[in-house]
Amino acid sequence: MKKITLLAFACAMLMAPAAVNAQEVTYVEDPAQGYLFNRMQDNWFVEAEGGAGVMMSKYDKHAKFGDRLGWKGNLAVGKWFSPLWGARLGGEFEQLKGATLKYDEGVLGYRNETAKDGFHKQQFNNIGAFGDLMFNLTNWIVGYKPGRFYNAILYGGMGVHWVYSREVQKDDKGDWKYSANEGDHSRNFSFRAGLLNTFRVSNHVNVLLDLRFDEMQEHIDGYAKTWNEMPSVLVGLSYKFNKTEWNAPVVPVCPEVKYTDAYVDDLRAKLEAANQNIANLKQQLDECRNRKQPEAAHAAEAPLATVYFPINVSKVVGVQKNVVDAVGEVMKNENNNYVLTGWADNYTGNNAINTRLRKERVASVKKMLVDKGIEAGRLDAQINDGELTNYGAKAASLDRAVTINRAK
């Protein structure tokens, strides 16, 4: 499906400049892409055939042609899996007539009527099942076409039959004789191939002309179990169920574009305008590249540390003690002076209480640092009555703190 996508994209790119005057892209089925599989319940069929076949076994030439013709019939159900391949299964009846040697007047199928040259007429019946693989020769040669009147279908398969005649067996002397047991009926296999000619009556009904050739395993004609031929001709009807046609993938078709002088002039003007826009953008880009960049403003230096306090508390508690201890270790290894600023939130309490908290908080941090050996002269304690974070009342706890900065 990638080819289809690329073709649609190419059509869209081609038609974009003339979208106002051009026709829209159309979509059609493309058999060159192959055909899509139908649902499992589609393309099923049943068929019935009847006709006649002529036996061509070892002794049949001693009978008249008319005495060798026997009735045939079959009923089958099948499915087409694609426009080329299908299969069918069914049951069939065959009446086999010809000539044989006179072995035993009690043999089923034997008729005590002389054919010629001392041979006698015989007639027996087969009934069994068969299966065929089918190939649509017409679709393969000239391509699939819905509604075609005629299709030639090659097929081949095999069958297994129960024969209304006794089994041929060797006696004690090694001669082939018919079984004395009436229950010992012959069973044989056959291989088959043929040309099925179909003539369309409607979307669901076809008339059939079946030209078939059978290679049959025969057990009744004497000295050995041989293979015999039987060509036959049958006619019949088939009925198709549900969906009977096949669909190809849908592909886009680009409409033909007629280029007039006015259209070409319009394209040329648009191209010149586009080139001018490109030149302007290139000039602007060069100016930006050559423009002297302003010096970046120095961002406010982040505090060395921030010590947080609970509401209405000015004593350093909990993990905040560890923060002050860590800051003290840093200060011991530096020669800087530091600014300690006390803060309180402006959303709780009043100005007097908040001012007291700011002073007490910064004093308690300074005392802890002095106790750790930091000279008091290096520590400048201040307060700020503004907001430390300015994130609002919900973040008021972030404003209850003491910030520690290196002095500038």
Side-chain angles (χ1 to χ4, degrees):
M1 300 300 289
K2 291 183 179 179
K3 294 190 292 184
I4 299 175
T5 304
L6 291 176
L7 181 57
F9 178 74
C11 288
M13 294 299 295
L14 178 63
M15 298 308 300
V20 175
N21 299 320
Q23 298 178 353
E24 294 183 357
V25 176
T26 58
Y27 294 85
V28 299
E29 291 187 358
D30 183 8
Q33 302 284 339
Y35 288 91
L36 305 174
F37 284 104
N38 287 341
R39 301 175 304 168
M40 188 62 187
Q41 58 264 41
D42 293 329
N43 304 103
W44 286 88
F45 63 88
V46 294
E47 62 183 27
E49 297 178 329
V54 57
M55 282 296 295
M56 300 177 63
S57 62
K58 184 176 181 180
Y59 304 120
D60 291 329
K61 63 183 179 179
H62 298 285
K64 296 179 181 179
F65 182 80
D67 293 334
R68 294 159 60 187
L69 289 175
W71 296 108
K72 300 187 68 169
N74 61 259
L75 182 65
V77 60
K79 174 176 172 58
W80 286 100
F81 299 97
S82 75
L84 295 181
W85 292 101
R88 65 181 178 180
L89 296 172
E92 62 182 348
F93 168 82
E94 297 177 327
Q95 184 185 65
L96 310 180
K97 299 170 65 176
T100 186
L101 293 171
K102 180 181 180 182
Y103 287 103
D104 183 351
E105 295 183 0
V107 172
L108 286 175
Y110 169 80
R111 296 167 61 187
N112 192 11
E113 300 178 24
T114 302
K116 62 179 180 177
D117 301 330
F119 288 85
H120 295 265
K121 296 179 181 179
Q122 68 171 355
Q123 173 180 320
F124 55 96
N125 300 325
N126 280 358
I127 185 169
F130 68 90
D132 291 328
L133 183 64
M134 310 171 72
F135 180 76
N136 192 310
L137 191 63
T138 306
N139 287 343
W140 179 57
I141 295 176
V142 297
Y144 168 72
K145 179 181 178 182
R148 179 181 283 124
F149 174 71
Y150 171 76
N151 281 280
I153 299 170
L154 291 175
Y155 67 88
M158 67 174 297
V160 57
H161 306 91
W162 189 82
V163 184
Y164 286 86
S165 182
R166 296 178 190 170
E167 179 72 72
V168 176
Q169 299 177 350
K170 284 186 178 181
D171 60 13
D172 295 338
K173 297 180 180 180
D175 296 327
W176 288 97
K177 297 291 183 180
Y178 292 102
S179 172
N181 184 359
E182 294 186 2
D184 292 338
H185 289 274
S186 296
R187 293 171 179 82
N188 62 25
F189 294 93
S190 67
F191 295 95
R192 43 197 276 136
L195 178 66
L196 181 63
N197 303 274
T198 68
F199 303 89
R200 181 178 181 271
V201 177
S202 69
N203 285 339
H204 295 279
V205 178
N206 283 343
V207 173
L208 308 177
L209 174 61
D210 193 351
L211 306 178
R212 183 181 305 167
F213 184 86
D214 292 87
E215 185 75 14
M216 305 181 64
Q217 182 189 33
E218 187 181 333
H219 288 203
I220 63 171
D221 244 349
Y223 299 105
K225 302 179 182 182
T226 60
W227 289 89
N228 302 297
E229 296 75 31
M230 185 181 186
S232 54
V233 178
L234 302 96
V235 295
L237 291 174
S238 72
Y239 182 83
K240 302 176 183 178
F241 294 92
N242 298 328
K243 185 176 180 180
T244 62
E245 298 179 350
W246 303 88
N247 295 108
V250 175
V251 299
V253 177
C254 299
E256 181 181 358
V257 180
K258 296 182 179 180
Y259 296 97
T260 63
D261 292 341
Y263 177 70
V264 174
D265 292 341
D266 182 62
L267 285 180
R268 185 179 290 111
K270 291 179 179 179
L271 179 61
E272 292 177 356
N275 288 334
Q276 184 61 47
N277 289 335
I278 293 173
N280 292 338
L281 291 173
K282 184 176 182 301
Q283 181 180 356
Q284 295 175 20
L285 179 61
D286 292 339
E287 291 176 355
C288 289
R289 288 174 175 172
N290 297 329
R291 185 181 304 160
K292 185 177 180 181
Q293 298 295 327
E295 294 184 3
H298 293 289
E301 184 178 357
L304 174 63
T306 301
V307 182
Y308 293 98
F309 294 81
I311 187 171
N312 202 32
V313 175
S314 59
K315 183 179 179 182
V316 178
V317 296
V319 70
Q320 301 303 316
K321 294 181 178 180
N322 297 336
V323 175
V324 177
D325 291 341
V327 171
E329 295 299 323
V330 173
M331 291 178 175
K332 289 180 181 179
N333 297 320
E334 293 183 350
N335 295 322
N336 294 328
N337 294 331
Y338 300 91
V339 177
L340 312 182
T341 305
W343 302 83
D345 72 89
N346 293 323
Y347 303 99
T348 58
N350 54 40
N351 290 335
I353 294 174
N354 288 335
T355 299
R356 176 180 58 79
L357 288 172
R358 294 183 185 106
K359 292 179 179 180
E360 291 177 354
R361 285 170 178 169
V362 71
S364 64
V365 171
K366 180 176 181 179
K367 182 178 184 303
M368 287 186 65
L369 292 173
V370 171
D371 292 342
K372 288 187 64 67
I374 308 302
E375 296 87 348
R378 296 173 58 193
L379 304 175
D380 181 12
Q382 304 177 2
I383 64 171
N384 192 316
D385 59 1
E387 295 183 1
L388 175 60
T389 61
N390 197 27
Y391 289 150
K394 292 184 178 180
S397 59
L398 297 178
D399 293 333
R400 305 167 190 142
V402 171
T403 55
I404 303 173
N405 294 78
R406 292 182 177 87
K408 296 180 180 180

